[in-house]
Amino acid sequence: MISITKQEKDLLVKLFPHYKFPRTMKQDSKRHHYFCTESEELMRPIADSNSAAAERVKEFDRQRALRDARRKSQSGEC
């Protein structure tokens, strides 16, 4: 789970209304810190404003490239 801001949470709620984003210190907290799971579909929209999300997106892309390279080498393609 990564920490996200209220603005990022609002964007994700618009894009993915079925997800829930827990908040810290629910009582009398004006800090608006929320948490988000590290799934690829949630990280991509906020990667430009959240450094932790950007790192996860970079890792997702690296893993995808490795998977594709393995798949090509196993099938005999060059």
Side-chain angles (χ1 to χ4, degrees), residues 5-63:
T5 64
K6 184 173 192 260
Q7 292 80 18
E8 292 167 340
K9 187 222 38 136
D10 291 340
L11 171 67
L12 290 172
V13 166
K14 276 192 236 177
L15 296 173
F16 306 100
H18 57 279
Y19 279 98
K20 302 291 182 214
F21 303 97
R23 184 175 68 162
T24 59
M25 299 175 71
K26 291 183 180 182
Q27 288 183 313
D28 197 29
S29 174
K30 308 261 189 282
R31 295 183 196 147
H32 302 292
H33 290 273
Y34 297 84
F35 288 93
C36 177
T37 58
E38 295 178 0
S39 68
E40 184 173 4
E41 65 180 355
L42 295 173
M43 294 293 105
R44 288 208 182 268
I46 61 171
D48 59 337
S49 62
N50 190 310
S51 62
E55 287 179 30
R56 289 299 300 151
V57 167
K58 193 183 294 186
E59 181 63 22
F60 290 137
D61 292 341
R62 188 180 76 77
Q63 291 294 329

